[in-house]
Each structure stands twice: as structure tokens, then as C-alpha cells.
Amino acid sequence: MSPLPRAPDGDASLAMAVCELPDGLTPGDAAWQRLVALVGTHRPQALLLNELPFGAWPAAAPRFSLLEAGQAAAAHAAGVAALDAIEVPALFGSTALPAPDGLINEGFARIGTRYHALHHKLCLPEEAGFHENTWFRPGHQTFGLLDHAGFRFAFAICSELMVPEVGRSLVRAGADVLLVPRASTADGLDRWIAVARATAIVNGCYVLSSNRSGGGGAVPAFGGSGFAVAPGGEVLALTRPDDPLVVVNLSRDSLAGARAQYPLTISAHLDLPSPRPR
């Protein structure tokens, strides 16, 4: 990991939004205009988009198509280029980049007009409707950290949250906020929230997630339900179809309070020995 210089601790706070965005989002369409309007109404200081928000979900089919991969990359290039229309100081998301034999799922931050590439998704499921190992490549096998407004952000894109070592290693490297853009179905929401709460509790971090919604037929039916979880495990907010963008207040005081309490008090300096076969 390559952390940037750490912002000073203190009573910093940040109003950050999570959302649910419909399948097939395109700059200028009705869903895009609604997103722009909601950001203008709520005026968050930062926004997390869902995983690969633009165009069709590329990993639905079990067989790779170079043409469709190119279309997915082009849709995301156009979407990222249009982000100026969303008037928010900091924007986080995931985009599809072209690779010689597939795509790369890149987690990025856009601070002002500057683009920061932070992470290439490494955990690539191969399940019905989610043939990510067929369509995607891991790219650079690093997890980047970004300091902004007194907080350190890191990505655990979708299924990466389900790997406990990812959250633990990122927080030990200094992350305060785990960003989890998702493209997941509704039937697993309880598990997502349970894992997010457990990750927040045992690591003392915020876990924020935005999700794709809608779809069906040839693609999975995505479940929406973006959420925000506090460092102590409290679910701060959950989006709904009639309330697709919610804003929560990130607080350094909340981080400090959670990290000074159980169970962090027993694990902060614990160095477990390596298991040995008998």
C-alpha cells in the first residue's frame, strides 16, 4: 500500500452520501438527472457511487465478448467524463477500464477535477449473473489509501468486503472509511449488512456502500439498498427506491470513541503466533 501523508486527528466531520442507482445509468438520462438534483438538494461534501454504475452490467454472460467489453469501457469513460455535472467536492466510484483480454474494475476518487486511481478489484466471483473472473482481470494488486477532509479512505469493492483480511489490513494501514461500491442482489442484503457491521465493530472504521438497483431478464436483479455503518456497528442509513440518496455525518470523534472501546482494546496490540501443524 502507498498511503498519502496522514491528515491530523481532531474533531473533523464530513457529510457523505451513499446511494442506489438503477441498472444502465447513462449521463443525461432521467436517473442521472435525478441524481444531479438530489446532490443539489442534499449538498453532501462527498458521494459514493455504486460499482460500475454506467451502462449494462458487463459480467452477466458466462462467455466473454470483446465487443461488449469495449462497450462497457466506453460507457464508463463517458460516465467519468460527465462527472463535472455532479456538484460535489469529492466523489468516489468504480469504473471499467479496457485490458488486453478483459476489463479492470478500478476504484477511484475524484477530488475537485483531479482523478485518483486507488484500487483494482482483486476478488472476482464466478457465479450465475456475476461472471467477473471471465470478464475482468485483477490489474495492479495493491490497495491505495487517500486522505481527504481529515479521513483516510480505502476501497473494498463489493465481494472484497466478504474477505475479513481485506478490512483488517486496510484499517491497520490507516484507513478510517471502507468504501464498498456494490452490484449485488436483494436476497443477500442481510449478509451484506451483517458483514459490514462486523467489519466496523472489529476494526473501528466506517463502512459505506452504494449499490446498483433494478435490472432483470438477461442480467441479475440488483437489490439497491446502499448503507452506512458507524465504527461501533450501528447502521446509520439505508437507501430505498423512494429515498435513493442519503447523507450521513462522518466524525473523527466517533472513530476515536469506537477505537478506545471493546473489542478494539483487546486487539489493537495483539500479535498472534502463526499456526503450526501437529
Side-chain angles (χ1 to χ4, degrees):
M1 300 182 193
S2 303
L4 299 178
R6 184 57 187 263
D9 287 347
D11 296 336
S13 63
L14 182 73
M16 184 160 183
V18 296
C19 62
E20 56 180 84
L21 295 172
D23 184 56
L25 181 70
T26 302
D29 68 10
W32 174 267
Q33 292 174 13
R34 185 185 190 193
L35 173 63
V36 171
L38 286 170
V39 169
T41 298
H42 292 284
R43 303 188 65 82
Q45 296 167 295
L47 168 66
L48 174 64
L49 302 177
N50 60 280
E51 182 180 19
L52 301 174
F54 300 108
W57 172 244
R63 296 184 62 182
F64 177 75
S65 164
L66 185 61
L67 173 62
E68 292 180 16
Q71 291 172 341
H76 281 84
V80 170
L83 292 177
D84 280 344
I86 303 176
E87 296 185 359
V88 61
L91 191 149
F92 300 88
S94 152
T95 187
L97 302 179
D101 58 347
L103 295 165
I104 290 172
N105 188 343
E106 178 170 274
F108 70 89
R110 196 170 184 273
I111 311 299
T113 59
R114 186 175 178 183
Y115 183 99
H116 303 266
L118 294 184
H119 172 53
H120 291 169
K121 186 178 181 181
L122 302 177
C123 183
L124 301 172
E126 189 66 23
E127 309 287 343
F130 298 90
H131 298 281
E132 296 177 54
N133 194 54
T134 295
W135 286 80
F136 288 88
R137 301 296 172 261
H140 299 303
Q141 298 189 24
T142 59
F143 286 83
L145 303 174
L146 178 73
D147 279 7
H148 175 69
F151 297 88
R152 179 165 286 176
F153 295 85
F155 276 97
I157 299 176
C158 202
S159 294
E160 292 176 330
L161 182 66
M162 297 295 186
V163 183
E165 292 80 4
V166 170
R168 175 57 58 91
S169 64
L170 288 171
V171 174
R172 285 188 170 180
D176 302 310
V177 184
L178 299 187
L179 303 171
V180 188
R182 294 165 25 241
S184 64
T185 58
D187 57 2
L189 179 60
D190 289 346
R191 284 181 295 172
W192 283 105
I193 291 180
V195 172
R197 294 189 66 209
T199 300
I201 290 167
V202 301
N203 294 302
C205 64
Y206 284 97
V207 180
L208 303 184
S209 183
S210 295
N211 194 23
R212 204 178 186 101
S213 66
V219 299
F222 300 100
S225 297
F227 58 76
V229 178
E234 176 190 1
V235 178
L236 298 174
L238 186 68
T239 68
R240 305 185 309 270
D242 62 346
D243 192 16
L245 184 144
V246 296
V247 180
V248 296
N249 190 58
L250 310 186
S251 163
R252 285 222 62 88
D253 284 348
S254 294
L255 283 165
R259 292 170 177 178
Q261 297 179 21
Y262 182 90
L264 275 299
T265 50
I266 64 169
S267 61
H269 305 292
L270 184 62
D271 188 12
L272 294 175
S274 299
R276 293 187 298 172
R278 300 180 70 89

